[in-house]
Amino acid sequence: MDCLGFKKWLVETCTYTEASIKDIISRLRRANNILEFKKEDVYLFRLERCDEFKKLSVSVKSQIRKSVKLYFEYLNELEIELQ
């Protein structure tokens, strides 16, 4: 995972506060600890089926999903820039 590049992208493209960005990065790392991140369309599907993920509160699961989706946006924009 490219947390530094992702953080820079969040600062440049989104209106999140520094605290919110730290939380997004933290949730992304938590997702990676539950299921190693792979850039594949079924990553969220597979993550949601992990027992450790299922045990989390509804709000934390929602925050993790949002962080993963933002990271996918970041990766997609990187791919577009490299073409």
Side-chain angles (χ1 to χ4, degrees):
M1 285 189 330
D2 176 18
C3 289
L4 290 175
F6 181 46
K7 181 178 179 180
K8 183 180 178 203
W9 178 80
L10 287 170
V11 168
E12 292 173 354
T13 62
C14 301
T15 58
Y16 295 112
T17 64
E18 186 67 27
S20 294
I21 290 172
K22 285 181 182 178
D23 188 51
I24 290 167
I25 300 290
S26 174
R27 299 298 186 201
L28 183 63
R29 285 186 175 133
R30 190 165 185 183
N32 187 57
N33 288 338
I34 295 170
L35 178 66
E36 186 177 347
F37 183 80
K38 293 181 182 169
K39 188 177 185 292
E40 56 187 15
D41 292 339
V42 295
Y43 177 77
L44 265 177
F45 175 82
R46 291 177 55 225
L47 178 67
E48 290 172 354
R49 269 116 195 106
C50 292
D51 289 336
E52 190 176 343
F53 185 85
K54 290 177 183 179
K55 294 176 187 174
L56 300 172
S57 70
V58 172
S59 64
V60 172
K61 286 192 269 191
S62 176
Q63 292 166 3
I64 288 175
R65 283 186 201 102
K66 172 95 174 163
S67 296
V68 170
K69 288 175 185 176
L70 282 169
Y71 192 65
F72 271 110
E73 273 185 54
Y74 161 69
L75 293 176
N76 288 335
E77 283 195 22
L78 270 184
E79 279 184 15
I80 291 169
E81 287 176 11
L82 295 174
Q83 291 179 353

